[in-house]
Amino acid sequence: MRSRLAPLKNAQIAVVGGLAGVDWSESKLQEYADFETFNAFFTRELADGARPLDPDPLAFVSPSDGRISQCGRITTDRILQAKGHHYLDPLPAGP
């Protein structure tokens, strides 16, 4: 992730950027070579005005490229956590 070797870090950026569907028009830096490391791409600065905040006070807002893929009600001792899988709640029920 901290490699500065251009062929390696550029390949990482190309593959991950492609898989994640990165919208390059939102990035302050536009070329793979402009990023010092893969980590610099992963924590890239956005272009001014690229993602204005939603003025709706009930909107979900995230500072990342993530998407909400699941949401639901917590039931008994299970929670819906990731990728459609139910996981046991590790915390005991409160009073």
Side-chain angles (χ1 to χ4, degrees):
M1 299 303 148
R2 288 183 257 173
S3 175
R4 287 175 166 72
L5 183 63
L8 175 61
K9 63 110 178 150
N10 291 347
Q12 288 175 315
I13 292 169
V15 169
V16 172
L19 290 172
V22 170
D23 180 350
W24 287 97
S25 69
E26 294 183 333
S27 180
K28 188 167 262 190
L29 301 177
Q30 297 287 310
E31 303 293 329
Y32 305 151
D34 294 337
F35 297 96
E36 189 174 340
T37 63
F38 174 78
N39 194 50
F41 156 73
F42 194 72
T43 59
R44 69 194 172 281
E45 188 174 347
L46 296 177
D48 292 338
R51 295 186 189 169
L53 293 178
D54 189 326
D56 181 349
L58 299 177
F60 287 100
V61 183
S62 174
S64 69
D65 292 329
R67 294 180 178 93
I68 297 173
S69 62
Q70 299 284 325
C71 67
R73 190 175 295 274
I74 297 173
T75 57
T76 54
D77 63 345
R78 297 189 171 281
I79 59 174
L80 183 62
Q81 185 168 335
K83 299 181 182 176
H85 297 280
H86 287 85
Y87 295 90
L88 288 175
D89 184 352
L91 301 175

